Amino acid sequence: MRFLVAVLLLSFSVAGVGQTLVFEDVRLVDVDSNAVGDPVRLGVRNGFIVDAESIADPDLVVADTGYLIPGLAEMHAHVPPMRLGDALVQDTLMLYLAHGITTIRGMLGEPGHLTLRQQLASGEIIGPRLITSGPSFNGNSVSSPDAARQMVRAQTEAGYDLLKLHPGLWPEAFHAIAETAEALGIDYSGHISTAVGLDRTLASRQGSIDHLDGYGQKLVPEDHPLYGTDPGLFAVNLVEGMDKALIPELARRTAEAGIANVPTQSLLENWASGDVEALFEREAMRWVPAQTREQWRNAIDNIRARVPEGQGERFIEIRRALLAALHEAGATILLGADAPQILNVPGDAIHHELEIYVEVGMSPAEALATGTTNIARYLDQPAHGCLEAGCVADLVLLAGNPLSDIRNTRQIQGVMRAGQWVDRERLDAELDAIAERASQ
Ligand SMILES: [Zn+2]
């Protein structure tokens, strides 16, 4: 009988269901109150946090002392298309997880990602929880308002979690998307098309504005020669005409509209500022396949050529000022870096993003909130982003206190996703294997 029970437990633990685990002597990081508690015992059963005293004989005890935070979310992530192969998809998912990310919002979905979402939810594939958009709504994919309505209905029926807006939409199509999505109760988020503009977006119930898109045009005063001219990607053509004095009002209006922002600031900083070679020499680049590195090399040369001479630093500075103002105004910021877009290595990029948030004036606790409690509120999922009994056991164990230095979010001793514990040794083995595959 004992033997049978042991066998059952083993098969359960492989599937990640039913496993019980106790963390000994962990300090819980309370993001909301900006405080770290005294060491406690914390129990996990069936993928949820429970009172440790209710577990008499845990399957696993984690005795490492450290700081426990809720798992992070990357709200502007990309999952590679399935046609690029299972290995690349699973390596990408593992990179997210190994960097403490237990939820990703895939911002360019496809039917295969719906299956993947299920495989991740069941523990069949180890990786973060996947929230996925459907295929893109843009000027090419949406031919008319009727076609837009039809697309919204089809994607909602297919089971996608949200709709992804890309550039090129006309106001009529945007309104058709918004109206149908609101009627069906599905989120629509992403870019702001030039013809749609920030004003229409703030008057809508769009979930999130990604990349701080749409603000740049509104920072050019009406009497400036650049006003109303082709903004280029993220308004990079308009940098010379932007007036920072207009930022606070836009931030205030965003907070009032209740629309969140996913800044993906690290992506834009890769594009426009600093030393490109230093970016290519980052240690995290070892996990990037040679072919992708090559693509990034070509893309970055191309993009930098489009940033007006000498305007890169100012572009970044204005975006940072906008991010700071949005935060000060009380607008919701959701953590998102846009990996694996150019020079944003999945997982690693989110830590750069967090560091930027602190550099613009958030406290480390506020920066952590963008990836934890803010996400739970945005998604209306109160069992996420928390560390109490009843919360989903999506956790990251850190060696150092992230409230004293945000860079301590990189000191990961292990990650738990829905009760499945992946310790440092296993993470290192996975990361080494990814680096090995990437080098071939
Ligand atoms: Zn993206």
Side-chain angles (χ1 to χ4, degrees):
M1 190 61 198
R2 267 190 98 91
F3 174 69
L4 190 66
V5 170
V7 168
L8 279 176
L9 279 177
L10 185 66
S11 65
F12 277 149
S13 76
V14 169
V17 178
Q19 194 182 34
T20 56
L21 176 147
V22 168
F23 290 98
E24 300 281 1
D25 286 332
V26 286
R27 294 168 183 270
L28 307 185
V29 177
D30 188 331
V31 171
D32 276 338
S33 70
N34 191 15
V36 170
D38 292 330
V40 292
R41 299 177 75 229
L42 189 98
V44 174
R45 179 192 289 121
N46 292 332
F48 289 88
I49 297 174
V50 296
D51 180 358
E53 305 311 314
S54 74
I55 300 175
D57 189 13
D59 299 317
L60 192 64
V61 172
V62 177
D64 296 339
T65 57
Y67 297 80
L68 209 55
I69 61 169
L72 299 168
E74 151 69 291
M75 289 293 272
H76 194 114
H78 288 274
V79 175
M82 302 305 290
R83 66 181 159 75
L84 295 185
D86 290 354
L88 181 68
V89 171
Q90 293 187 20
D91 285 354
T92 305
L93 294 169
M94 180 50 73
L95 283 173
Y96 287 122
L97 190 75
H99 288 84
I101 297 168
T102 56
T103 293
I104 56 171
R105 187 172 77 162
M107 287 304 276
L108 195 52
E110 58 171 49
H113 291 173
L114 294 171
T115 312
L116 188 64
R117 180 180 68 187
Q118 181 51 36
Q119 290 169 316
L120 287 161
S122 69
E124 184 186 335
I125 294 177
I126 182 84
R129 169 171 73 125
L130 175 60
I131 295 168
T132 184
S133 82
S136 158
F137 286 74
N138 60 60
N140 293 324
S141 68
V142 178
S143 55
S144 69
D146 269 346
R149 287 185 199 97
Q150 182 47 36
M151 254 175 94
V152 173
R153 281 192 288 268
Q155 290 196 14
T156 307
E157 228 162 83
Y160 291 107
D161 299 298
L162 75 153
L163 312 173
K164 166 69 185 280
L165 307 186
H166 259 135
L169 292 171
W170 289 94
E172 296 74 15
F174 174 73
H175 288 306
I177 293 164
E179 205 177 70
T180 316
E182 285 163 26
L184 295 174
I186 188 166
D187 183 359
Y188 53 102
S189 287
H191 287 254
I192 296 182
S193 293
T194 304
V196 173
L198 184 69
D199 292 337
R200 282 192 188 83
T201 301
L202 291 183
S204 78
R205 286 157 70 188
Q206 180 160 328
S208 69
I209 298 168
D210 293 30
H211 318 293
L212 305 179
D213 203 3
Y215 287 92
Q217 292 91 314
K218 296 292 288 179
L219 290 174
V220 180
E222 286 181 31
D223 58 359
H224 194 279
L226 284 175
Y227 179 82
T229 61
D230 173 20
L233 203 53
F234 306 124
V236 74
N237 295 350
L238 307 181
V239 181
E240 273 187 285
M242 292 180 192
D243 182 355
K244 279 165 76 176
L246 299 174
I247 287 177
E249 175 63 5
L250 296 180
R252 188 197 62 72
R253 288 178 53 205
T254 305
E256 196 179 273
I259 295 181
N261 269 277
V262 183
T264 73
Q265 176 71 3
S266 52
L267 178 74
L268 280 295
E269 300 209 0
N270 290 344
W271 285 14
S273 76
D275 173 2
V276 178
E277 290 317 309
L279 299 178
F280 275 100
E281 277 157 27
R282 280 176 180 168
E283 209 204 323
M285 289 297 290
R286 73 190 182 102
W287 299 308
V288 179
Q291 201 188 346
T292 307
R293 282 199 298 265
E294 196 53 40
Q295 286 164 358
W296 286 358
R297 175 72 70 182
N298 295 333
I300 199 79
D301 290 345
N302 197 316
I303 285 167
R304 286 188 173 231
R306 281 148 64 187
V307 178
E309 190 65 28
Q311 295 297 314
E313 296 298 332
R314 183 166 147 79
F315 179 59
I316 294 311
E317 184 207 317
I318 291 174
R319 289 182 54 94
R320 283 190 172 218
L322 174 59
L323 178 51
L326 286 165
H327 173 63
E328 261 165 50
T332 298
I333 308 292
L334 305 176
L335 181 61
D338 201 355
Q341 297 284 34
I342 304 160
L343 286 159
N344 257 356
V345 181
D348 176 69
I350 221 65
H351 295 281
H352 290 291
E353 190 75 21
L354 284 169
E355 286 161 26
I356 291 169
Y357 295 176
V358 171
E359 283 168 19
V360 304
M362 290 188 204
S363 69
E366 288 167 338
L368 278 177
T370 69
T372 57
T373 50
N374 288 6
I375 310 291
R377 283 187 205 110
Y378 177 79
L379 297 171
D380 194 19
Q381 295 175 335
H384 283 270
C386 52
L387 297 175
E388 292 140 37
C391 295
V392 174
D394 285 357
L395 308 167
V396 186
L397 185 63
L398 302 172
N401 181 359
L403 300 185
S404 54
D405 185 342
I406 195 65
R407 289 171 299 184
N408 283 335
T409 53
R410 288 182 179 273
Q411 309 302 320
I412 295 171
Q413 291 177 295
V415 180
M416 175 172 275
R417 162 67 197 124
Q420 265 191 306
W421 175 244
V422 189
D423 64 16
R424 187 69 254 171
E425 204 180 327
R426 164 97 187 267
L427 291 175
D428 284 337
E430 295 280 1
L431 290 173
D432 286 347
I434 292 170
E436 177 64 30
R437 281 189 286 277
S439 69
Q440 285 162 5

